[in-house]
Structures are given as C-alpha cells and as structure tokens.
Amino acid sequence: MDIGVVLQCTPPASRVVELARIAETHGFSHVWTFDSHLLWEDPYVIYSQILAVTRKVMVGPMVTNPSTRDWTVTASTFATLNEMFGNRTVCGIGRGDSALRTIGHPPATLARLRESIGVIRELGNGRSARVGDTEVRFPWARDSRLGVWVAGYGPKALDLTGEVADGFILQLADPDITAWTVARVRAAAERAGRDPDEVTICVAAPAYITDGSKEALAHAREQCRWFGGMVGNHVADIVAKYGADSEVPAALTDYIAGRTGYDYNQHGRAGNTHADFVPDAIVDRFCLLGTPDEHVHRLHELEALGVDQFAVYLQHDAKTATLDAYGESVLPHLTHPLPATQSAG
C-alpha cells in the first residue's frame, strides 16, 4: 500500500513545499493538495516547486473540478509539469465543492464531469481530443502520461468512476463504507468491459498519532472533527438527491441529521464551528486516530478491501509530527512501503 499526504495551500507556500519534501524523505508516494482558489493559494504553481525539490513523489489535486479551469488549460498544466519533471502528476477530479460554491456556482453535472475526464486524459497523454466541434492536441506532449482519478460518494458518481476513471478517491476511511464503494466501482468497471483491478483505489482521511491515552484521543478527535463536517456537506447533496432510505449505506448518511449548515470560510479547518454535530463515533470511523499500531491495523484492514493508497489529510496541529510518526512507526509495517528517498535539495 502506498501512503500519500493531502495538504492545503495555505501561505506561506514555502511551508507547503517543505512538508512535501519531508513527506518524501519518509517514503510517502504522493503529495496531494486542495484546489480552491479563493480559500488558498493556487496549487499548480506550488506543484512546480514541490517537484523541483523532490525526486519521486507524484503530485496532484484532491480534487480539481471541470468548471473553474478550462479543460485544455488543466491538461496543458499537467503535461507541462510532466515535461519539466518527468511523468510525476496525477489529476484528481470531482464535481466540485468549495472552489465552486465560494463563487456562487453549483457543482458540475456528472455529464460535464465525464466529458472533462475524456478531454483532460487524452490531451494529458499526448493524444488528440475533441472539444466541441474542434479536434485539438498538444504537439509537444507526446511523452506525457497522466492518470485521472475521480472522487465521489453517490451511486451514479461511483458508476461513472468505474466506467471511465483510472483511479477512485474515497474521502473517508470507514471500512464498511469503503467496501460498499469499492464494490460499486468495480462492478461498474466490469459492466463497462474493463478490468476492475485496473482502477486504483485511494482512501483519504485525517490521521493523528496518539500515545494511547484518553486525553490524547480526545484532543485528536477535536483536531479531526472538521472532516466529518466536510464529508457531511457532500453527503447532504446525496441525501437530497436519493433520499435517506436509498441504497447508500446508512453509516454514511444517518449522522447528518443534526447538520444545520456549512461555512466555507472554515472549510478544512480544525476547530471549526459547523462540525459540532459530528459525533465521536463518526470521527473514529472516518479518520485514523490512535497509536501507530492502531493505524497499521486499520491500514491493513483497508488494504484487504482492495485499497492501493491511503492519503493522510494533514489539517491539524501535528503536521510534522504526523509525517515523522508515519515514516518511523507506520510505513515500515505496511506490505509494500515506498523506500525512503533523499530530497533533491
């Protein structure tokens, strides 16, 4: 199992670059970032700096969307980074949340998402793509290679992922929900005539190492409770569309009954006020909290469900400590940890 990290592009950008460098020295395979241009700095500019001071990590957004950037511009950015630093980019994409809602726009439709995936992937892999009535291609990007991974929770989004995506991103680490979503994605891939095992599975959630005490666990929960609020914001759309009694697991939908709203000014921030409705049990299920042994146990459980990568959301007060603890006490106990590397700097 690979281990990645998810960063916010909170200034100074140099701190984001430094965290990425530290992650690589500990053997992390991927460095992901949020992509919400009003709330944080632009990630694509920062990717070039991360790639310049590292040797092996892959970089990409978790996640971008089909609406805030022209699809050809998105593909050109990835292809340019690949030309500069080797094929070390991956495009995580979804319908869009904070990047769109903060400018008063709704998430993209699944049809628009599907179309954008085709254009971005074809251009990002040096092939031609049709944009409207025009066929386009980057004549300079023949050697570029780009995978497109799709994030989603709802049945139709999972079906789309299985049909067309190179990878699936699930933003929570509950084993039961993971099992349901992975099965749905793989079934859709098989119906589409694809090899289900060719869809890379990535689970992403906050991780916080503790010493095993009740006090430390309580603190970790408060630092990660924001994540249940963020997931709940996505789930609210699913409940509105499919109803509370749909095929979506109750473990994913029931807890949002006490949700009253969402403040994007506190999006992805520890201690925010709109996550008070999230119970401890949800924090414990959706996130990885506890001693290194407890993290390893959950990661092995996820790996057994077919998860290829776990990506650590690093939005709390122990960023460097978490990277260090994972490098020293978690990655060495995984089945196929990425060997540690030295930074290029």
Side-chain angles (χ1 to χ4, degrees), residues 22-165:
I22 293 170
E24 183 178 66
T25 64
H26 285 308
F28 284 68
S29 62
H30 290 65
V31 175
W32 304 90
T33 71
F34 286 56
D35 180 11
S36 191
H37 59 288
L38 289 187
L39 298 179
W40 303 288
E41 294 181 328
D42 184 86
Y44 294 92
V45 178
I46 297 173
Y47 293 156
S48 66
Q49 296 300 305
I50 292 173
L51 290 167
V53 301
T54 57
R55 293 180 178 174
K56 293 185 178 181
V57 292
M58 304 285 290
V59 302
M62 189 178 283
V63 292
T64 191
N65 68 83
S67 299
T68 55
R69 305 175 195 270
D70 182 273
W71 305 341
T72 62
V73 173
T74 296
S76 180
T77 301
F78 285 116
T80 300
L81 291 171
N82 284 341
E83 188 279 323
M84 293 172 67
F85 301 103
N87 290 314
R88 294 172 56 197
T89 66
V90 57
C91 179
I93 193 168
R95 293 176 58 215
D97 181 40
S98 61
L100 290 172
R101 296 188 195 271
T102 53
I103 57 176
H105 295 175
T109 64
L110 288 175
R112 181 175 173 82
L113 174 60
R114 181 188 293 269
E115 186 179 1
S116 74
I117 292 167
V119 171
I120 293 169
R121 180 165 51 204
E122 292 307 293
L123 293 177
N125 284 281
R127 300 186 291 264
S128 62
R130 182 161 293 277
V131 180
D133 295 328
T134 304
E135 186 169 315
V136 297
R137 184 173 185 175
F138 303 142
W140 45 268
R142 290 189 298 271
D143 296 328
S144 178
R145 297 295 177 265
L146 177 70
V148 181
W149 298 13
V150 175
Y153 299 100
K156 291 183 178 180
L158 298 175
D159 290 348
L160 180 152
T161 301
E163 290 162 6
V164 303

Side-chain angles (χ1 to χ4, degrees), residues 155-322:
K156 291 183 178 180
L158 298 175
D159 290 348
L160 180 152
T161 301
E163 290 162 6
V164 303
D166 299 301
F168 166 52
I169 297 171
L170 175 64
Q171 292 163 309
L172 55 80
D174 175 83
D176 292 337
I177 297 172
T178 298
W180 177 75
T181 57
V182 170
R184 181 99 190 193
V185 167
R186 286 179 167 166
E190 190 167 7
R191 288 196 304 272
R194 306 179 65 198
D195 180 352
D197 292 333
E198 290 184 357
V199 182
T200 302
I201 307 297
C202 175
V203 162
Y208 202 108
I209 298 284
T210 75
D211 61 8
S213 69
K214 291 182 179 179
E215 294 78 12
L217 178 59
H219 178 77
R221 284 171 174 156
E222 291 310 311
Q223 286 293 306
C224 298
R225 198 176 303 275
W226 66 267
F227 185 68
M230 186 187 82
V231 173
N233 199 47
H234 296 298
V235 171
D237 287 342
I238 295 173
V239 172
K241 182 173 184 176
Y242 296 100
D245 299 322
S246 70
E247 59 187 309
V248 180
L252 181 58
T253 59
D254 282 355
Y255 84 99
I256 68 166
R259 177 181 176 274
T260 58
Y262 196 82
D263 181 2
Y264 280 98
N265 290 318
Q266 301 183 66
H267 185 60
R269 184 184 304 173
N272 66 45
T273 58
H274 56 246
D276 293 344
F277 72 95
V278 180
D280 288 351
I282 287 293
V283 181
D284 292 349
R285 283 172 38 204
F286 283 14
C287 306
L288 267 66
L289 313 176
T291 64
D293 286 346
E294 290 173 311
H295 284 243
V296 170
H297 176 79
R298 176 76 72 85
L299 291 170
H300 281 155
E301 190 174 4
L302 292 171
E303 186 177 36
L305 295 173
V307 175
D308 301 295
Q309 180 186 154
F310 175 69
V312 177
Y313 271 97
L314 207 62
Q315 287 69 55
H316 50 56
D317 64 358
K319 295 179 176 63
T320 303
T322 300

